[in-house]
Amino acid sequence: MATNEPEHEHRDEEEAGANEDEDTGAQVAPIVRLEEVAVTTGEEDEDAVLDLKSKLYRFDKDANQWKERGAGTVKLLKHKNTGKIRLVMRQSKTLKICANHLVKSGMTVQEHVGNEKSCVWHARDFADGELKDELFCIRFASIENCKTFMQKFKEVAESEEEKEESKDASDAAGLLEKLTVEEKKTEEKTEEKPVEKVKSEVEETKKSEVEKSGEEKKPEETGPST
């Protein structure tokens, strides 16, 4: 004979569970109130022109081997005012800086031998709080990401080179213009000198004639003594 006892027991358990989860309306104030703190990263005045996940290595000259710097996100950041672009990479968990340097004119990046997902470059890095010459190697999850990074890196370096050439040309043009102005002023002074000399000679002649005329009149005014 069938019995309904298991169903009743199951229903009782559900009702008991529902009662346990029922909201009593009581409010518990937190023991410690945490206030929001503004966190600055130093990137507030910069815009990201590249943002890719990767793993970074640096070459240890003493040990003669590659050592991992960390896994995270590599960024190329352009400053809103100066227009300069720097490479910054932070570890994903700790946000510790792995690399931090400007991308300058003359810098090159090339594919790492035997690995199409990796590339290498030299830089004067400031990640440890002081400038150091570093050889970096970065590895991406795909060949496409590696090519994207290399292409953007090269574009920035070439752009910086063009800026330097333009500045040099502008400085040279300014120097030539300054020299031209100075030469013109020198010529004008040279042309003015004869006129001033003539005026000076005329004034000296007049002064001499006046003095001579005065000397001639002195005997007539004095007359012979008795």
Side-chain angles (χ1 to χ4, degrees):
M1 182 173 178
T3 177
N4 293 330
E5 288 183 0
E7 291 183 4
H8 289 305
E9 291 177 0
H10 184 62
R11 190 179 299 110
D12 292 340
E13 290 175 359
E14 287 182 348
E15 290 176 357
N19 291 333
E20 288 178 359
D21 295 338
E22 185 178 354
D23 187 5
T24 61
Q27 295 183 354
V28 180
I31 298 174
V32 179
R33 183 177 297 278
L34 300 177
E35 296 182 358
E36 291 185 3
V37 178
V39 179
T40 58
T41 62
E43 302 174 11
E44 288 75 19
D45 294 330
E46 297 168 304
D47 294 322
V49 297
L50 184 76
D51 188 332
L52 295 171
K53 289 184 177 181
S54 57
K55 183 175 286 188
L56 186 70
Y57 302 82
R58 62 174 287 272
F59 189 75
D60 188 335
K61 295 179 183 178
D62 296 330
N64 196 31
Q65 63 181 358
W66 290 101
K67 290 190 175 180
E68 183 177 333
R69 289 283 282 181
T73 301
V74 62
K75 297 180 181 180
L76 289 178
L77 302 173
K78 183 176 182 179
H79 198 278
K80 296 176 182 178
N81 297 327
T82 64
K84 291 185 179 295
I85 296 179
R86 65 174 177 142
L87 182 149
V88 177
M89 181 168 175
R90 296 176 182 271
Q91 292 181 4
S92 57
K93 294 181 179 179
T94 63
L95 297 181
K96 181 182 177 181
I97 295 177
C98 308
N100 179 21
H101 65 79
L102 290 172
V103 181
K104 296 183 177 182
S105 168
M107 293 180 69
T108 59
V109 60
Q110 57 187 10
E111 183 181 303
H112 188 44
V113 178
N115 192 337
E116 294 181 347
K117 296 180 181 179
S118 303
C119 56
V120 296
W121 74 96
H122 282 93
R124 292 272 289 167
D125 188 68
F126 197 72
D128 295 329
E130 59 179 340
L131 285 174
K132 293 181 181 178
D133 289 322
E134 299 281 11
L135 174 59
F136 287 119
C137 176
I138 194 167
R139 188 175 69 193
F140 297 92
S142 66
I143 297 174
E144 289 75 18
N145 283 355
C146 184
K147 288 182 177 179
T148 299
F149 173 82
M150 291 177 63
Q151 182 179 353
K152 197 64 182 178
F153 192 105
K154 290 176 181 178
E155 287 177 1
V156 173
E158 290 172 358
S159 174
E160 290 298 315
E161 188 173 354
E162 290 175 359
K163 287 179 183 178
E164 286 188 3
E165 290 176 354
S166 176
K167 184 178 182 299
D168 291 342
S170 177
D171 291 345
L175 181 59
L176 288 173
E177 184 178 356
K178 183 179 179 181
L179 290 173
T180 303
V181 171
E182 288 179 353
E183 288 177 358
K184 188 175 180 181
K185 288 181 178 179
T186 303
E187 290 176 358
E188 289 176 352
K189 287 182 179 179
T190 304
E191 291 175 356
E192 291 174 358
K193 277 184 179 180
V195 177
E196 292 176 355
K197 189 175 181 181
V198 170
K199 288 182 178 179
S200 178
E201 289 177 353
V202 170
E203 289 177 358
E204 288 181 1
T205 302
K206 288 181 177 179
K207 185 178 180 182
S208 178
E209 289 177 353
V210 170
E211 291 177 352
K212 188 177 181 182
S213 176
E215 290 176 357
E216 289 177 352
K217 289 181 179 181
K218 279 182 181 180
E220 294 177 3
E221 292 173 357
T222 306
S225 58
T226 56

